[in-house]
Amino acid sequence: MAAETLQPNFYASAAVDRLGHLRRDEQWIAQRLADPTTRILPVWRTHNLVIAGSMPSAAWLSVERAGHLLGEVREFAFLGFHESVAHFAIEVSYLEDPAPVAGLAEAAAFTDLRTVGPLLERNQGALLAYARGMMHWHARHRFCGVCGHPTESREAGHVRRCTNESCGAQHFPRTDPAVIMLVHDGGDRCVLGRQKIWPPGMHSVLAGFVEPGESLEDAVRREVAEEVGIALAEVTYHSSQPWPFPASIMLGFMARATTTDLNLATDEIETARWYTRAELRASPENEVFRLPRRDSIARRLVDDWLAEG
Ligand SMILES: [Zn+2]
């Protein structure tokens, strides 16, 4: 299936030209930070600035409005060009009260992207996810993992370099690969499960982090064996999704089972069973049973599998 030729997943494929070759050009970056058309996307403690409403939208600050902030923020990152203007993320988590920053953009508030993501225009959602992911990385990599000295931002926020001259290690933005897979029987049934910590009623496909020394296909087979005790035949790549909650990329697969008896790993999985397409199409979407959230690749896998039969 060439899923990537269809609609991209939520938070993916922002129409941003990242212009990575210009990140080291400090003069050019400084000019962009002084350009009145530049847009500044503040991030406060993982929250993005959003204008609420039935059709929420991303809010940004002009350079003029952001003025004093640009002089005091600890971290920023050049995101690239979108709609022909430069976009930067800035970190304002040092403020106890972010309301004055939100007040610089009319009717905006710092908002968890997860609460509004499905309602945002796709490019805006992707831009906010990018900004959130970059600022999260900076917040979690303030010290060198090699020698423990402080690190400092370089290359317009895309590298952190150790300040210990005898070390000098460079650290790059990271995103943690996780596999997510719809397990089906080659016919009309697929496996959905749920974890105790999920919202009431939510059932979803299986997922787990890729471990060192594994291919993605290895990780799919291991996770499915561990969580529900099923063996797999072919494992087929579907599509991927940036998932900055807090720092993952979800790699989606369709996987055909060769066994059907479920043997649950009860410490991870509260319940799991086989569902038919008819059952999923009749999902009541309530606290007894609901499908995964609409902006997730999990939902995309379910919807695309439903469409095949
Ligand atoms: Zn170091």
Side-chain angles (χ1 to χ4, degrees):
M1 178 183 304
E4 69 276 17
T5 64
L6 305 173
Q7 170 91 308
N9 289 312
F10 278 89
Y11 311 122
S13 304
V16 174
D17 186 345
R18 297 186 177 220
L19 296 172
H21 62 291
L22 289 169
R23 291 169 186 161
R24 292 186 187 182
D25 188 337
E26 292 180 10
Q27 186 181 359
W28 186 85
I29 292 293
Q31 287 167 353
R32 300 288 74 71
L33 277 170
D35 185 332
T37 67
T38 289
R39 295 171 181 171
I40 308 293
L41 301 176
V43 179
W44 181 78
R45 301 181 188 180
T46 77
H47 286 36
N48 297 99
L49 199 51
V50 171
I51 298 169
S54 58
M55 296 269 291
S57 61
W60 62 78
L61 309 180
S62 64
V63 165
E64 184 185 4
R65 289 210 164 184
H68 66 288
L69 292 170
L70 297 178
E72 68 186 46
V73 293
R74 190 162 66 193
E75 305 299 349
F76 76 94
F78 172 61
L79 302 179
F81 266 57
H82 170 63
E83 296 178 343
S84 303
V85 298
H87 285 64
F88 287 84
I90 62 170
E91 166 68 77
V92 296
S93 300
Y94 61 92
L95 296 170
E96 278 305 314
D97 178 8
V101 175
L104 297 173
E106 286 170 32
F110 282 97
T111 306
D112 186 341
L113 182 58
R114 285 174 294 190
T115 65
V116 294
L119 302 173
L120 289 171
E121 189 272 325
R122 293 294 188 101
N123 275 306
Q124 292 192 0
L127 260 177
L128 295 188
Y130 179 19
R132 174 178 171 142
M134 287 298 294
M135 293 301 101
H136 176 81
W137 172 70
H138 279 288
R140 296 301 178 94
H141 293 81
R142 293 168 51 215
F143 295 91
C144 178
V146 180
C147 75
H149 281 69
T151 59
E152 61 185 19
S153 181
R154 296 287 174 86
E155 299 189 21
H158 289 264
V159 178
R160 292 192 74 84
R161 190 172 187 281
C162 179
T163 55
N164 174 5
E165 284 306 321
S166 67
C167 173
Q170 295 191 94
H171 304 275
F172 297 91
R174 57 175 292 171
T175 181
D176 299 330
V179 289
I180 182 162
M181 45 277 173
L182 183 139
V183 176
H184 61 87
D185 65 357
D188 195 46
R189 297 190 307 163
C190 76
V191 175
L192 297 187
R194 66 167 274 111
Q195 297 180 13
K196 292 185 186 75
I197 59 169
W198 287 354
M202 189 182 118
H203 288 66
S204 189
V205 299
L206 306 175
F209 285 105
V210 180
E211 296 186 352
E214 282 185 318
S215 69
L216 303 181
E217 303 89 316
D218 292 339
V220 169
R221 293 177 192 282
R222 175 183 52 75
E223 284 287 344
V224 171
E226 286 177 0
E227 292 187 4
V228 295
I230 282 180
L232 299 175
E234 67 272 15
V235 170
T236 309
Y237 177 71
H238 179 279
S239 63
S240 63
Q241 178 184 41
W243 193 248
F245 310 118
S248 293
I249 179 161
M250 307 303 293
L251 303 151
F253 292 84
M254 297 288 191
R256 185 168 65 85
T258 56
T259 60
T260 56
D261 287 346
L262 299 177
N263 183 12
L264 304 190
T266 49
D267 56 331
E268 281 192 56
I269 299 283
E270 182 181 73
T271 176
R273 73 170 177 85
W274 291 95
Y275 291 86
T276 65
R277 286 190 172 90
E279 283 179 286
L280 299 189
R281 288 192 179 111
S283 168
E285 296 297 300
N286 60 22
E287 297 201 351
V288 175
F289 189 92
R290 71 176 79 237
L291 292 171
R293 44 184 299 148
R294 203 160 57 78
D295 57 345
S296 65
I297 188 174
R299 180 61 171 268
R300 176 73 181 279
L301 293 171
V302 170
D303 286 345
D304 282 5
W305 178 76
L306 285 175
E308 286 173 18

